Amino acid sequence: MKKYNTMYGTLNTKVVGIALIFVILLKIVPKKKLIEEKNKDRIYYEVNLEVEKEVAEDFKKWLKGHREELEELDIIERSKAQTYVPMPIEKKSKYEYIRVSYEMENKEDLEIYLKEYATKMRSEGLKKFEGKFRATRNRVDKLKW
């Protein structure tokens, strides 16, 4: 085992390795705590869509632009869109199911979106795809254990 002379005396590689791990942890743990603190009030605004298959491809193209427009607002940090299958599976559904989740820093940001932007943003889709889709909306909060 290699030995190192330091101002604290002679140390071997095992002690130096443990000390290095300790220093690294001291730098990482506070950052993790800061990230957890910043994210503690984070919420998600979820939109579940049932889109008629005959317009689903056009709807998804429109939805991509719609999401990008929403992400330009300072209140929405990121979004993701997914298809999903309701359970139990319907054999011959005429719908394609899409879920879009918008991540926001807190409830106040959602209230701003609902008050200032939601009506306009929703009306665009309703006008373009009138009667061809249904939407349900949910606020999703982190479970605090």
Side-chain angles (χ1 to χ4, degrees), residues 13-27:
T13 51
K14 188 174 184 180
V15 171
V16 171
I18 291 170
L20 184 58
I21 290 170
F22 184 71
V23 168
I24 290 169
L25 287 175
L26 285 175
K27 293 193 176 285

Side-chain angles (χ1 to χ4, degrees), residues 45 62 66 70 73 110-127 137:
Y45 178 59
W62 169 81
H66 178 74
L70 281 170
L73 303 175
L110 177 58
E111 289 169 12
I112 290 168
Y113 168 73
L114 294 173
K115 186 177 180 182
E116 297 179 20
Y117 301 102
T119 302
K120 177 188 176 290
M121 299 302 280
R122 291 176 187 168
S123 68
E124 293 169 4
L126 289 168
K127 191 183 303 178
R137 296 166 181 86

